[in-house]
Amino acid sequence: MDKKIYIETYGCQMNVVDSEVIFSIMAKEGYKRTTSMEEADIILANTCSVRDNAEQRIWGRLEVFRKQKETRPDVIIGIVGCMAERLKDELTKTGKVDLVAGPDTYRTIPEMIKEITPDKPGINVLLSREETYADILPVRTDKNGVSAFISIMRGCNNVCSYCVVPYTRGAERSRDPETILAEARDVFAKGYKEVTLLGQNVDSYLWKSGESEVDFPDLLDAVAGIDPSLRVRFATNHPKDISDKLIETMASRKNICDHIHLPVQSGSDRMLEKMRRRYTREWYMERVRKIREVLPGCGITTDVIAGFCSETEEDHQATLSLFKEAAFDYAFMFCYSERPGTIAARNYPDDVPADVKTRRLNEIIELQNRLSLESNQADVGKTFEVLVEGPSKRNPQDLCGRTGSDKMCVFPGEGHKAGDYVNVKIESCTSATLLGTITEQH
């Protein structure tokens, strides 16, 4: 009888890729992926520690996993990923987990499983300066077979004062570009129409071999050169590192999507310095202006934190004014959540009251909703090439897909399917979605 493994994945797309790597590693040990917890021999949660509420959710899921253990004592319960790295002691003390594996130790999971006893969980959270899983072809877990994610690097060297990632994922290291290209060719050969290159800071990707070196624009150009019909996306950029060379590379290839995710975090220079972001508001806006100049119509999205340590009303207003100036298409917006072990947690009081954080966050959300609507309204009447992802969630009779600028489109799609390119004329919109009709087949 086949052994089966079930993984719940939380957090960013990099965690999705990590889960796919684990499935691949375990497949070599005879485990098959299952989407049913009830039939799994191994139940894992692949976790995120960026915000406290993400961790709290995992503690709740552990109780659900333990109910499986009550009826099937041999089932193995494990926590992998960033939370495993950060909370290994607390996790093992609960007696609720059999396995704790950090982001750089997935290759050791099979051996750890063999050594587990009722009194001794398997634990390995060692960070690595070399591990990139470059030789492992992930088991794709997406449902539509259209878009694939490819990790190009691991870790982060920036050490922003609020961020736990350098402590849970270790130092930055780039992956051999030839392995990235091989993976991209493989997914294209399997019918995927889009790849997204992933890294904590893709702009600092750098591979050196002898006298030659490959930076991120070089890599992006090479992946886009695989085939003109393969769409290429990437995330995430760091404002201090995004180069003119990258922007110009995007402009040189039609199949590199015109979308840049450029987290700003705050519009206040005082806050940016305290966050250790290493750029100013003016530097950030100069990068936005450069993108708009070279790539007219490029989608620009961002991240922002409301209520960081000592944030004043003046700092908050600076963030609102930057949002108006930048006119983002979309934003991921959060209240500051103190993460133990970070520079901010060690040095700065989390002194903005919760109700003030919430009010400021709501003001940012309200403004961004208006900006998103205005951005989408400007697209009404235009026609975009859209890659069909599948049926619309709200109405399965309609199809949905994204423009090159990463805007979601919904449209009647009779005769088309996931993976098709279609030209869609936009007829109306909401703040989140473009609504249109197919004008002609691509």
Side-chain angles (χ1 to χ4, degrees):
M1 186 174 177
D2 290 326
K3 296 178 289 184
K4 295 181 179 178
I5 178 171
Y6 168 89
I7 305 179
E8 290 186 0
T9 305
Y10 299 86
C12 64
Q13 293 296 347
M14 282 180 276
N15 276 12
V16 173
V17 173
D18 278 4
S19 290
E20 293 177 337
V21 166
I22 295 170
F23 280 127
S24 181
I25 290 169
M26 298 307 293
K28 294 177 181 177
E29 302 295 318
Y31 286 86
K32 289 190 174 180
R33 178 189 173 222
T34 179
T35 56
S36 171
M37 184 194 307
E38 288 73 19
E39 65 179 24
D41 300 281
I42 300 175
I43 300 172
L44 302 179
N46 188 357
T47 60
C48 175
S49 283
V50 171
R51 283 174 290 279
D52 181 63
N53 59 358
E55 289 187 356
Q56 294 307 318
R57 186 177 180 189
I58 299 302
W59 290 114
R61 290 304 293 167
L62 267 179
E63 296 303 319
V64 176
F65 297 167
R66 290 301 296 179
K67 286 184 170 55
Q68 294 295 316
K69 192 87 166 178
E70 290 171 5
T71 56
R72 299 185 293 131
D74 291 337
V75 70
I76 292 172
I77 309 296
I79 299 293
V80 301
C82 293
M83 187 173 169
E85 178 69 38
R86 201 182 78 77
L87 295 173
K88 55 186 178 296
D89 294 333
E90 289 90 332
L91 288 165
T92 52
K93 285 177 184 176
T94 64
K96 296 177 180 179
V97 295
D98 306 300
L99 175 74
V100 180
D104 292 344
T105 67
Y106 300 146
R107 293 180 194 269
T108 68
I109 290 177
E111 288 303 314
M112 290 164 63
I113 288 171
K114 294 173 185 176
E115 296 172 2
I116 290 171
T117 68
D119 301 320
K120 183 186 175 185
I123 305 171
N124 188 352
V125 294
L126 292 176
L127 291 174
S128 168
R129 288 186 174 272
E130 290 81 35
E131 181 62 85
T132 63
Y133 302 109
D135 59 319
I136 296 175
L137 201 60
V139 172
R140 302 295 168 183
T141 59
D142 59 281
K143 295 178 181 178
N144 62 18
V146 173
S147 301
F149 297 93
I150 298 177
S151 175
I152 67 168
M153 58 200 302
R154 298 182 73 83
C156 184
N157 289 346
N158 287 314
V159 197
C160 298
S161 63
Y162 55 83
C163 186
V164 75
V165 168
Y167 310 101
T168 59
R169 285 188 169 265
E172 182 181 281
R173 59 272 191 201
S174 297
R175 180 178 162 188
D176 184 333
E178 290 305 319
T179 68
I180 297 168
L181 287 167
E183 187 173 337
R185 292 188 191 102
D186 177 74
V187 296
F188 182 67
K190 290 175 178 174
Y192 286 83
K193 299 295 182 66
E194 180 178 89
V195 296
T196 301
L197 308 179
L198 296 175
Q200 276 316 127
N201 175 13
V202 293
D203 299 301
S204 62
Y205 173 90
L206 185 64
W207 177 264
K208 295 183 179 181
S209 178
E211 295 296 312
S212 66
E213 65 179 42
V214 176
D215 62 12
F216 182 61
D218 297 332
L219 175 68
L220 183 64
D221 186 65
V223 174
I226 290 172
D227 193 279
S229 66
L230 177 66
R231 269 190 174 186
V232 185
R233 299 185 183 274
F234 53 89
T236 293
N237 298 90
H238 196 297
K240 73 178 176 64
D241 295 324
I242 185 171
S243 66
D244 289 356
K245 181 180 176 181
L246 172 63
I247 299 167
E248 289 156 4
T249 299
M250 293 175 67
S252 72
R253 294 272 193 182
K254 284 186 64 176
N255 61 324
I256 300 177
C257 292
D258 287 348
H259 170 240
I260 294 176
H261 187 64
L262 198 64
V264 67
Q265 307 304 2
S266 176
S268 160
D269 282 342
R270 190 179 76 88
M271 288 291 96
L272 291 172
E273 183 176 4
K274 199 164 195 174
M275 291 175 170
R276 298 185 83 247
R277 293 292 287 171
R278 299 189 179 91
Y279 55 84
T280 63
R281 175 194 178 108
E282 179 51 37
W283 172 270
Y284 184 92
M285 287 309 306
E286 188 279 327
R287 293 289 78 195
V288 169
R289 289 189 288 271
K290 182 68 176 182
I291 294 165
R292 303 268 193 229
E293 173 192 332
V294 178
L295 296 167
C298 181
I300 302 179
T301 55
T302 198
D303 297 344
V304 69
I305 298 171
F308 186 62
C309 308
S310 81
E311 184 186 69
T312 64
E313 195 62 29
E314 183 180 1
D315 296 323
H316 170 59
Q317 291 300 322
T319 296
L320 293 175
S321 70
L322 182 140
F323 266 56
K324 293 173 185 175
E325 187 178 353
F328 298 116
D329 296 283
Y330 184 76
F332 295 93
M333 301 160 282
F334 305 97
C335 286
Y336 172 60
S337 172
E338 184 178 86
R339 310 311 296 128
T342 59
I343 292 171
R346 296 196 304 268
N347 295 284
Y348 309 138
D350 183 8
D351 54 1
V352 179
D355 61 332
V356 175
K357 287 182 184 179
T358 300
R359 189 259 301 167
R360 290 176 183 171
L361 177 63
N362 287 337
E363 289 177 3
I364 296 171
I365 292 171
E366 182 182 357
L367 171 59
Q368 184 56 53
N369 284 344
R370 293 203 308 270
L371 294 171
S372 295
L373 180 60
E374 290 171 7
S375 174
N376 285 351
Q377 286 172 335
D379 287 335
V380 173
K382 298 178 182 177
T383 299
F384 296 98
E385 183 181 72
V386 174
L387 176 59
V388 179
E389 296 179 6
S392 167
K393 291 180 180 179
R394 289 195 174 182
N395 181 2
Q397 301 304 310
D398 290 338
L399 294 177
C400 68
R402 294 183 184 275
T403 66
S405 63
D406 205 40
K407 290 185 178 182
M408 178 58 72
C409 288
V410 173
F411 45 92
E414 188 174 349
H416 293 280
K417 64 185 185 306
D420 288 345
Y421 284 105
V422 294
N423 288 335
V424 177
K425 183 174 182 180
I426 307 306
E427 297 172 340
S428 63
C429 68
T430 67
S431 63
T433 309
L434 300 175
L435 307 170
T437 56
I438 296 174
T439 58
E440 59 183 87
Q441 187 168 351
H442 179 70

